[in-house]
Amino acid sequence: MRKPLLQSMIRIILLQIAALCTLVGFSQDYIFTQKTNDLNSFNPSLVGTQSDMGVQLNYYNQWPQLDNNPILMSMLTNYNLKNGLGIGLAYCTESFGLTKENKVKTNVNYALNTGDIELKFGTSFGFNQQSFDVNRMNTPVGPDPNLTGNNTGRYFSLDIGAAAYYHGFVAGVSSYQLNKPSYKMFSSTYNVNASYNGFVGYSKKLNDLRLSGLIAFQQISKLSSLDYHISGQYKFVKLGLGIHSYCGAYRNTDYISASSGVIFDQFSVAYSYASDPFSRPNDLIARGTHHATVAWFFKGLKRESGFSDFVNGML
């Protein structure tokens, strides 16, 4: 009888930690093992680089061994207008422990070519809603008296990004929640931290084979991450490997990911799996993350720019 009781206590503690992390405004940092298949979350300036009109769908399942583990589903649509201007609309729903977050973001991006240099700029304006399931925090003697009142918080967010391409080399910077918003929930006010991101990459095509590499950095509050990705594409088949290093206030962890996918002129499908191969057998939060994506390109793949070649070749 002790083992089931202990497991229940552990689950309750993990749920409380998850709730605390969300309420203090520390955004759950997802290990996006497919950077370029969730462009609005990677860099808002890159929206629209794959196709003049398209839809991207994402399903992300992190630490599935845990009850009420982090799960994310998102959709991004884009349409490119004339003169380098593009627009996008994104919806995302995330659940983690006792919390759930829904986001709607509008995106505006602009492409500019100056000789051999390609530049892109983008911004996203979002409406976010955080909700907290109070009923699941009930104690044996009834509801937690500290969790009374409004269990939903709302705020607006501002994201910006810029990127450049030159003869196979790519670099970009972005910031999410740049306005550092706050929201009220229960009887307190919580602040949302801004994140600062950067990446550099290189892509080279050899006949039917394209090789690409990417290094991405993120800093949010006291957590920082450094990701290394390499991808190879032969005709329509893509394979990739990644190393994701995390360090911060909670723990230092390295994840290894493997990705595969296919890309055609009208659609693409990809899947990746990330895990810490050196974790302890009972270390649940290091064991397994699934990320699946599918995209439709209604006007076909863009092939006339270096940005498009790089994004289409990466996973």
Side-chain angles (χ1 to χ4, degrees), residues 72-134:
L72 177 149
M73 292 178 286
S74 68
M75 179 182 70
L76 169 66
T77 64
N78 79 277
Y79 185 81
N80 291 342
L81 306 171
K82 297 181 179 180
N83 301 322
L85 186 65
I87 56 176
L89 179 65
Y91 173 75
C92 177
T93 178
E94 308 172 23
S95 60
F96 181 21
L98 306 179
T99 64
K100 185 175 183 179
E101 182 174 10
N102 294 310
K103 308 176 186 177
V104 178
K105 292 187 177 183
T106 59
N107 174 273
V108 178
N109 56 86
Y110 179 71
L112 175 66
N113 295 339
T114 58
D116 293 334
I117 301 176
E118 300 177 21
L119 301 174
K120 287 214 69 179
F121 307 92
T123 183
S124 294
F125 184 72
F127 173 76
N128 302 52
Q129 178 175 286
Q130 297 263 12
S131 59
F132 187 89
D133 192 346
V134 179

Side-chain angles (χ1 to χ4, degrees), residues 189-210:
T189 299
Y190 302 96
N191 298 318
V192 180
N193 295 305
S195 70
Y196 305 97
N197 317 277
F199 74 90
V200 293
Y202 180 74
S203 180
K204 179 70 174 179
K205 188 173 183 180
L206 305 171
N207 297 323
D208 291 330
L209 178 64
R210 176 174 291 279

Side-chain angles (χ1 to χ4, degrees), residues 159-174:
D159 312 329
I160 61 172
Y165 175 91
Y166 179 76
H167 290 299
F169 291 94
V170 182
V173 293
S174 62

Side-chain angles (χ1 to χ4, degrees), residues 137-152:
M137 284 294 291
N138 284 354
T139 66
V141 295
D144 190 331
N146 296 317
L147 300 176
T148 59
N150 181 29
N151 66 333
T152 301

Side-chain angles (χ1 to χ4, degrees), residues 171-290:
V173 293
S174 62
S175 177
Y176 290 83
Q177 294 91 231
L178 181 63
N179 55 323
K180 297 182 180 179
S182 61
Y183 62 93
K184 292 183 178 181
M185 187 180 292
F186 304 115
S187 58
S188 302
T189 299
Y190 302 96
N191 298 318
V192 180
N193 295 305
S195 70
Y196 305 97
N197 317 277
F199 74 90
V200 293
Y202 180 74
S203 180
K204 179 70 174 179
K205 188 173 183 180
L206 305 171
N207 297 323
D208 291 330
L209 178 64
R210 176 174 291 279
L211 300 175
S212 305
L214 176 71
I215 301 175
F217 173 80
Q218 181 185 63
Q219 180 72 44
I220 177 170
S221 185
K222 297 181 180 181
L223 175 69
S224 61
S225 66
L226 189 61
D227 296 353
Y228 306 87
H229 291 258
I230 57 172
S231 294
Q233 178 183 352
Y234 180 73
K235 295 186 177 179
F236 61 88
V237 178
K238 298 196 292 185
L239 298 174
L241 291 173
I243 299 176
H244 320 270
S245 299
Y246 282 71
C247 58
Y250 300 105
R251 57 178 291 157
N252 298 332
T253 308
D254 292 329
Y255 294 85
I256 296 177
S257 67
S259 309
S260 64
V262 295
I263 185 168
F264 299 95
D265 186 62
Q266 295 292 329
F267 74 94
S268 69
V269 178
Y271 169 79
S272 58
Y273 179 80
S275 183
D276 180 2
F278 306 107
S279 63
R280 299 181 299 273
N282 60 345
D283 193 352
L284 296 180
I285 65 171
R287 292 169 53 191
T289 294
H290 304 272

